[in-house]
Amino acid sequence: MSLPRDLTFGEQHCLDFTELRGLQQLQDHLFQTNLEKAFKQYVKDTVKMFEASGPEAVEFASHLYYYESRIAEITPSQERLEDPVASNLKITIGVLGMMSSSIPWLDLLRNVFPSSKLDHRTEVLVVSHEYFSDLSKLISTTDRRQLNNYLIFNFVSYYLPYLPDKDKRVLDLYRREFTGTQRPMERWEFCIQSTSQFFSYGLGSLYERTPERMKNRDATIKKVTKIFNQIRRTLTISLAHSRWYPMETKARLSAKLSNMSITVGYPDTLLDRRVVDEYYEDFTIFTKDFFKNLRDSILNGRRHMEKRLLEPETEKPWMSALSGDDIVYVQQANRIVVPPHWLNPPYFHHNYPAAMLYGGIGVRVAREMLKAFDAVGLAWDSSGKLVVPTAYTNRTVENLRGVAECVAASTADLSIEDDNVIQHTASDTAAEVDAVRQTFKAYLSLMKREPQPQAASFERLNTTQIFFLSYAGSLCSNTTTQREDIERTCDLSLLGHPRLSAVLAQLPEFSEVFECTTASPHYPRRVCTSLH
């Protein structure tokens, strides 16, 4: 449950019950692979910590696994979850209660938000009527003992990472089996992770206020904003010349591009210590009572959520992205958000040549900007409101689907990945191709206005070659076999090397820059239509 800005009526807030996105593939992966064994072992070992006997632990794990599998079965399809119109249904708490009568929603929500004066007329967003109806039936037809076991186990699982090391061995073993992690998290990593979970703005503000960060802050914002504006100009020109978008769609997308903004690192308001202190004024920390601090932090998090429900202006819809892992496009705000850690090497440095910046952080910014153009982005207008699809929108979505199918066929010809993975990542791969192409165009346009000097230490490479090397380097990663398997199954993007190969095979620009022969695996043999 979360608190988005109301998707139709501006700055009003309503409760959001749509946080199922991304869960289905993970559930399917869990229930279709040998990780079932690791999951059941984890459950058994956990309940044995509370003095359950061997047979009792086996029965407990079996019942819990069965219940989880039933939840997976009623979870809406990924196609439904990705449709912002179909998966953001506004109803009242009263209607929600009628469609899922075994769950006392009003009592639950009043307990979570005691000062909000909720009633049956309060509006909520749900991802699917059928899901909550099926969930209610599942609860009403499940033995009360099993429901109690499910509740208690999830409660224990939440707090398990915060127990002493000797009690976390069960969790460490499960993580090793599930993700391939060979060693437990270091204490300092755990402390940073826990602090960031409950004090993300405070921790980020503290980091951003360090002398080194403050010294380069204005120059960093100026440089990244310049890249954003250059890419936006290029996209605007490409959109104007595109013959694949109906005029009505072009006008809407042009308005979105024109109104799109970017936040680079923390805004000035969150660097004001008084603002941060006021934000956390209700938090009380006891130096020698970790568990009490944890419990109080959870309760304070609820109070902050209730404050946002009562006073929507206290926190903008894009602010949570500042503490996220990736550069993101926030549809409701029509804004790109660049978290502070992206403003460090290897992604960014003041002395990097422009080609490196455009090939690295520039492509990532462009990829997020293009989300305003995709099948999901077309459902939002320039002010962050959901709009009803039109015949023009549907035609554009069909064009996007056609490009994705072409890219999937081209990628399959390369024999670099399983066909199922290629199919469910095709839309992202097509968008990645477009992001690299548009960013490269933006860089070439920059070079015409501002000729770029030869970069030191790159004497044997011209700047356009540096662009593509920087892009390739940005895809490098190091992960375990188990984690890679999870990402291949659950993520909607190809992994590093297959992703790079698929993208370069669609870019004649790369072959021209590096003078690739027709025998090169990166030489484009089947280039798909570009919509921009």
Side-chain angles (χ1 to χ4, degrees), residues 208 213 220 224-225 228 262-266 318 321-324 326-329 335-343 348 361 364-365:
E208 287 286 80
R213 299 288 291 185
T220 298
V224 176
T225 302
F228 166 76
I262 187 169
T263 295
V264 182
Y266 272 46
W318 50 267
L322 290 168
S323 54
D326 300 310
I327 298 173
V328 297
Y329 172 62
R335 182 185 295 257
I336 303 293
V337 179
V338 182
H341 60 266
W342 275 86
L343 305 174
F348 181 89
I361 197 171
R364 298 274 59 83
V365 169

Side-chain angles (χ1 to χ4, degrees), residues 298-342:
I298 294 170
L299 294 176
N300 276 312
R302 283 189 186 178
R303 284 193 285 269
H304 271 260
M305 188 182 289
E306 183 169 37
K307 186 177 180 180
R308 296 201 304 276
L309 180 64
L310 297 171
E311 304 171 28
E313 283 297 314
T314 57
E315 190 171 325
K316 299 296 183 181
W318 50 267
M319 285 174 59
S320 60
L322 290 168
S323 54
D325 293 331
D326 300 310
I327 298 173
V328 297
Y329 172 62
V330 182
Q331 301 277 7
Q332 296 95 320
N334 194 25
R335 182 185 295 257
I336 303 293
V337 179
V338 182
H341 60 266
W342 275 86

Side-chain angles (χ1 to χ4, degrees), residues 196-385:
S196 180
Q197 180 180 353
F198 299 108
F199 297 92
S200 57
Y201 295 148
L203 191 64
S205 179
L206 187 67
Y207 171 65
E208 287 286 80
R209 293 200 308 268
T210 58
E212 184 64 26
R213 299 288 291 185
M214 291 300 293
K215 174 184 174 183
N216 298 313
R217 183 170 183 270
D218 290 342
T220 298
I221 293 174
K222 182 178 180 180
K223 188 165 284 192
V224 176
T225 302
K226 181 180 179 180
I227 294 172
F228 166 76
N229 287 331
Q230 182 68 33
I231 296 171
R232 179 165 59 176
R233 278 193 294 270
T234 301
L235 277 172
T236 301
I237 294 170
S238 297
L239 178 64
H241 289 88
S242 174
R243 59 188 179 87
W244 293 99
Y245 290 98
M247 292 305 296
E248 180 197 81
T249 306
K250 276 189 180 183
R252 281 179 47 204
L253 294 179
S254 294
K256 288 184 78 170
L257 272 177
S258 178
N259 294 333
M260 190 180 292
S261 58
I262 187 169
T263 295
V264 182
Y266 272 46
D268 291 338
T269 51
L270 287 179
L271 297 184
D272 186 337
R273 183 165 182 170
R274 290 172 299 178
V275 172
V276 176
D277 288 346
E278 182 181 348
Y279 186 83
Y280 292 109
E281 64 181 352
D282 295 332
F283 282 66
T284 302
I285 299 297
F286 299 89
T287 56
K288 295 185 178 181
D289 198 335
F290 176 78
F291 197 78
K292 179 174 174 54
N293 291 335
L294 174 63
R295 185 190 62 189
D296 289 350
S297 295
I298 294 170
L299 294 176
N300 276 312
R302 283 189 186 178
R303 284 193 285 269
H304 271 260
M305 188 182 289
E306 183 169 37
K307 186 177 180 180
R308 296 201 304 276
L309 180 64
L310 297 171
E311 304 171 28
E313 283 297 314
T314 57
E315 190 171 325
K316 299 296 183 181
W318 50 267
M319 285 174 59
S320 60
L322 290 168
S323 54
D325 293 331
D326 300 310
I327 298 173
V328 297
Y329 172 62
V330 182
Q331 301 277 7
Q332 296 95 320
N334 194 25
R335 182 185 295 257
I336 303 293
V337 179
V338 182
H341 60 266
W342 275 86
L343 305 174
N344 294 316
Y347 311 114
F348 181 89
H349 192 277
H350 312 288
N351 295 328
Y352 282 178
M356 283 188 67
L357 294 176
Y358 274 76
I361 197 171
V363 172
R364 298 274 59 83
V365 169
R367 176 65 189 89
E368 294 305 309
M369 293 173 72
L370 285 169
K371 289 185 178 178
F373 290 42
D374 65 17
V376 174
L378 288 168
W380 303 82
D381 66 13
S382 60
S383 59
K385 297 178 183 176

Side-chain angles (χ1 to χ4, degrees), residues 377-488:
L378 288 168
W380 303 82
D381 66 13
S382 60
S383 59
K385 297 178 183 176
L386 281 175
V387 293
V388 178
T390 65
Y392 301 108
T393 306
N394 294 336
R395 190 194 313 170
T396 304
V397 171
E398 285 300 316
N399 288 338
L400 291 168
R401 188 175 293 120
V403 174
E405 290 172 356
C406 176
V407 169
S410 174
T411 305
D413 291 342
L414 300 175
S415 301
I416 55 175
E417 183 55 278
D418 180 79
D419 285 351
N420 289 330
V421 176
I422 289 172
Q423 287 297 327
H424 83 250
T425 59
S427 294
D428 179 80
T429 305
E432 181 82 357
V433 171
D434 205 13
V436 178
R437 179 179 287 123
Q438 296 300 323
T439 310
F440 187 62
K441 283 184 182 179
Y443 179 65
L444 293 179
S445 178
L446 174 74
M447 287 179 64
K448 289 180 180 178
R449 296 199 326 270
E450 303 173 18
Q452 299 297 305
Q454 181 66 45
S457 302
F458 290 99
E459 288 80 4
R460 298 179 60 183
L461 299 171
N462 62 44
T463 58
T464 52
Q465 291 172 328
I466 293 172
F467 171 91
F468 285 108
L469 285 178
S470 178
Y471 169 65
S474 71
L475 299 182
C476 290
S477 63
N478 184 21
T479 187
T480 64
T481 303
Q482 293 93 326
R483 185 70 202 177
E484 183 176 293
D485 185 41
I486 293 171
E487 291 177 358
R488 286 178 68 248

Side-chain angles (χ1 to χ4, degrees), residues 98-231:
M98 286 189 289
M99 71 172 58
S100 49
S101 57
S102 65
I103 306 172
W105 287 112
L106 186 57
D107 291 340
L108 277 171
L109 294 172
R110 281 175 172 172
N111 182 267
V112 176
F113 306 114
S115 302
S116 297
K117 298 180 181 179
L118 303 177
D119 58 34
H120 288 90
R121 296 166 297 177
T122 303
E123 292 178 323
V124 297
L125 288 175
V126 297
V127 70
S128 163
H129 294 166
E130 295 78 11
Y131 172 76
F132 284 97
S133 176
D134 291 343
L135 182 64
S136 177
K137 292 176 184 176
L138 176 59
I139 291 173
S140 63
T141 57
T142 301
D143 178 73
R144 284 290 167 182
R145 180 170 174 267
Q146 187 173 335
L147 283 176
N148 183 65
N149 288 344
Y150 181 80
L151 175 66
I152 294 300
F153 181 78
N154 278 278
F155 176 82
V156 170
S157 293
Y158 181 86
Y159 285 100
L160 196 58
Y162 302 100
L163 297 181
D165 289 343
K166 62 182 180 63
D167 297 319
K168 289 195 301 182
R169 289 171 186 161
V170 168
L171 180 61
D172 293 336
L173 178 62
Y174 176 58
R175 284 175 173 166
R176 188 186 311 161
E177 294 294 323
F178 194 79
T179 67
T181 304
Q182 295 302 308
R183 62 173 181 82
M185 189 181 295
E186 296 282 350
R187 185 67 179 175
W188 67 268
E189 292 178 284
F190 172 77
C191 289
I192 290 291
Q193 184 185 76
S194 301
T195 306
S196 180
Q197 180 180 353
F198 299 108
F199 297 92
S200 57
Y201 295 148
L203 191 64
S205 179
L206 187 67
Y207 171 65
E208 287 286 80
R209 293 200 308 268
T210 58
E212 184 64 26
R213 299 288 291 185
M214 291 300 293
K215 174 184 174 183
N216 298 313
R217 183 170 183 270
D218 290 342
T220 298
I221 293 174
K222 182 178 180 180
K223 188 165 284 192
V224 176
T225 302
K226 181 180 179 180
I227 294 172
F228 166 76
N229 287 331
Q230 182 68 33
I231 296 171

